[in-house]
Amino acid sequence: MSYTDLSTPIRTIMTPGPVEADPRVLRAMSTPVIGQFDPEFLKVMNETMALLRYSFQTDNHRTFPVDGTSRAGIEAVLCSIIEPGDKVLIPIFGRFGYLLTEIASRCGAEIHTLEKDWGEVFYPEEVKAEMKKVNPKVVAMVHGETSTGKMQPLKEIGQFCREQDALFVVDAVATLGGVEFKTDEWCIDAAIAGTQKCLAVPSGMAPLTYNDRVEELILERKDIERGLADDSANDRRIQSNYFDLSQIQDYWTTDRLNHHTEATSMLYALREGLRIIQEEGIEQRCERHQFHGEALMEGLKAMGLELFGNQENKMPVVTVIKVPEGIDEAQVRQTLINEFSIEIAGAFGPLKGNVWRIGSMGFSCRKSNILQVLSALEATLLYHGADINCGAALQAALAFYAEHK
Ligand SMILES: *Cc1c(COP(=O)(O)O)cnc(C)c1O
């Protein structure tokens, strides 16, 4: 009897997530399940929290994963801090900015948005000016917009939020573990990561971190829930049970007050992914992502393809290229997956059909994958009749690797 489904293919995944899980992570997932109140499990939780603080570059005590995909973490943070009527400013520069808006609006926030054309990011001054006008309680923003491949500089905005006493919440789902991210130094009050992107772990957990400013607010709302504070006229309770961070944070202490049943096997996976990051070193890991991202870009440019958007703020882990004239975007992806077993991504919204997004994240971010995607893309584009420079892409990438050995 076979225990593996051999009809499921092994792919080379070069999308902005989910990407290939590190084989060490997959092995860790088959560690025997133990009870969530087993003293040995407490050790697993503590080690994971310590490793997460390293990846988030933070001293925040409250640093743990929430069970669910990345947006579960976003939802947990937003619904735990936003009360009906709270002013929330969301500068949007791609699809995931709309996700922040969508979640915040369900929390009853009074939402103020700023919007940029897809392919651009904000100047800090633009966000600051709007903050002065709106005086928001929360500013929520995406760090790396996988929908456009662009990355928002955060430090100056974070510092201004601190000055204005606004809480700064950042979606670092696509960047943590692959691109420099400094929670404390950049004055970020709460940040959320994703496992299936640069952490090279399957999807299913949302690591997050928040500081005392956030915790104070959450505890105030918890007191109301317990009837300790007199605010009966106005129901300020956190509306979600599953995403109530005041309860989840109690579960992640030595008291371990029961909340949900922890996703044991996912926690083994996350811990292993984070151990790999610590072994590699976070700076070295970011350099690796930068390095292979550059090799990929060199290859694509040599092929004659055009990069999308303003390159000044390009995410090193996502490369967005324009579809050449007369080429069917979806057909190319189909050939890549059917003939070469390589997956790249199409796009959403205004970019749908016009660009491809190539990810180079986590375990997928390695030389053999970069060379494979370049060679397969070249062959596929030729096959579909595109006018490209034959043979140039691989030579450019190989030259880049030889030069930077
Ligand atoms: C992938 C992604 C998300 C959504 O994550 P899910 O795990 O699908 O919930 C959110 N924000 C950004 C920037 C992403 O790239």
Side-chain angles (χ1 to χ4, degrees):
M1 189 179 155
S2 166
Y3 288 93
T4 42
D5 179 359
L6 296 175
S7 65
T8 304
I10 295 170
R11 303 284 197 210
T12 299
I13 312 181
M14 300 302 277
T15 67
V19 299
E20 295 167 31
D22 191 299
R24 263 179 67 179
V25 168
L26 293 175
R27 284 198 290 275
M29 291 184 86
S30 60
T31 305
V33 169
I34 57 176
Q36 67 170 348
F37 297 107
D38 187 315
E40 288 300 317
F41 197 66
L42 186 62
K43 291 186 196 163
V44 179
M45 292 167 74
N46 286 344
E47 186 185 345
T48 305
M49 286 191 281
L51 288 167
L52 270 179
R53 287 185 197 106
Y54 171 69
S55 279
F56 273 114
Q57 300 280 290
T58 184
D59 292 329
N60 288 342
H61 179 56
R62 303 301 186 184
T63 305
F64 51 81
V66 165
D67 294 334
T69 69
S70 321
R71 73 183 61 205
I74 299 172
E75 191 146 0
V77 167
L78 294 183
C79 85
S80 295
I81 63 175
I82 298 173
E83 297 174 39
D86 281 347
K87 289 182 186 173
V88 178
L89 174 64
I90 305 173
I92 301 169
F93 58 105
R95 179 197 180 190
F96 290 105
Y98 290 105
L99 177 65
L100 292 172
T101 312
E102 212 270 335
I103 295 172
S105 75
R106 285 176 191 249
C107 304
E110 177 187 314
I111 293 181
H112 298 260
T113 58
L114 281 174
E115 293 198 37
K116 273 276 164 185
D117 286 341
W118 287 37
E120 299 290 328
V121 300
F122 290 91
Y123 293 108
E125 292 71 30
E126 297 173 300
V127 179
K128 287 193 208 171
E130 194 65 15
M131 281 181 69
K132 283 184 201 153
K133 256 199 273 171
V134 171
N135 192 25
K137 170 173 151 179
V138 176
V139 176
M141 253 186 134
V142 174
H143 182 216
E145 250 303 349
T146 32
S147 62
T148 64
K150 299 298 174 276
M151 195 160 68
Q152 175 66 48
L154 297 172
K155 190 175 179 179
E156 217 180 309
I157 299 171
Q159 285 168 341
F160 195 68
C161 284
R162 209 47 69 87
E163 278 171 37
Q164 298 277 302
D165 201 26
L167 292 175
F168 192 29
V169 177
V170 174
D171 168 348
V173 171
T175 43
L176 198 89
V179 182
E180 182 183 61
F181 188 85
K182 295 189 181 291
T183 306
D184 293 355
E185 202 183 306
W186 296 350
C187 299
I188 293 164
D189 294 294
I192 305 97
T195 50
Q196 77 273 30
K197 316 251 167 149
C198 297
L199 301 188
V201 171
S203 166
M205 263 192 174
L208 52 81
T209 184
Y210 53 91
N211 61 17
D212 291 346
R213 284 154 51 92
V214 171
E215 186 175 355
E216 221 170 89
L217 187 67
I218 291 171
L219 290 180
E220 199 186 310
R221 296 182 76 185
K222 187 191 179 78
D223 286 346
I224 292 161
E225 182 198 322
R226 289 166 165 169
L228 298 177
D230 182 26
D231 203 351
S232 44
N234 176 12
D235 190 354
R236 292 181 55 201
R237 268 190 322 170
I238 293 169
Q239 292 298 305
S240 168
N241 166 291
Y242 194 76
F243 293 136
D244 180 345
L245 286 177
S246 74
Q247 293 191 44
I248 303 174
Q249 74 175 26
D250 283 347
Y251 171 66
W252 280 87
T253 60
T254 37
D255 297 342
R256 279 196 287 163
L257 293 180
N258 194 19
H259 178 248
H260 60 292
T261 308
E262 190 48 30
T264 320
S265 305
M266 268 309 295
L267 192 62
Y268 294 146
L270 175 60
R271 178 179 63 163
E272 193 67 12
L274 295 169
R275 281 172 167 173
I276 294 167
I277 293 181
Q278 196 182 45
E279 285 166 24
E280 186 175 1
I282 191 79
E283 285 91 13
Q284 288 83 343
R285 191 176 174 95
C286 294
E287 279 167 25
R288 166 166 65 89
H289 281 86
Q290 178 74 36
F291 178 63
H292 292 296
E294 279 177 31
L296 175 65
M297 254 195 319
E298 288 305 315
L300 293 168
K301 282 195 282 193
M303 207 187 295
L305 295 172
E306 198 184 334
L307 298 170
F308 165 78
N310 187 344
Q311 294 311 303
E312 216 172 293
N313 297 296
K314 182 189 175 297
M315 279 175 91
V317 296
V318 182
T319 301
V320 184
I321 44 173
K322 294 187 184 169
V323 176
E325 278 288 312
I327 296 297
D328 184 324
E329 183 277 310
Q331 260 181 14
V332 167
R333 278 187 294 124
Q334 232 170 43
T335 304
L336 279 172
I337 203 153
N338 291 343
E339 308 305 325
F340 296 91
S341 216
I342 295 179
E343 188 186 5
I344 65 169
F348 310 109
L351 298 183
K352 195 172 158 60
N354 303 323
V355 300
W356 290 297
R357 298 177 305 141
I358 304 180
S360 42
M361 294 175 158
F363 185 69
S364 285
C365 180
R366 56 189 203 274
K367 186 173 168 180
S368 57
N369 275 23
I370 299 292
L371 296 176
Q372 271 180 54
V373 77
L374 285 172
S375 59
L377 185 62
E378 179 186 294
T380 302
L381 285 172
L382 284 175
Y383 178 73
H384 286 285
D387 180 21
I388 53 165
N389 306 324
C390 293
L394 279 173
Q395 294 312 311
L398 286 171
F400 178 88
Y401 280 122
E403 236 172 78
H404 297 86
K405 252 195 187 120

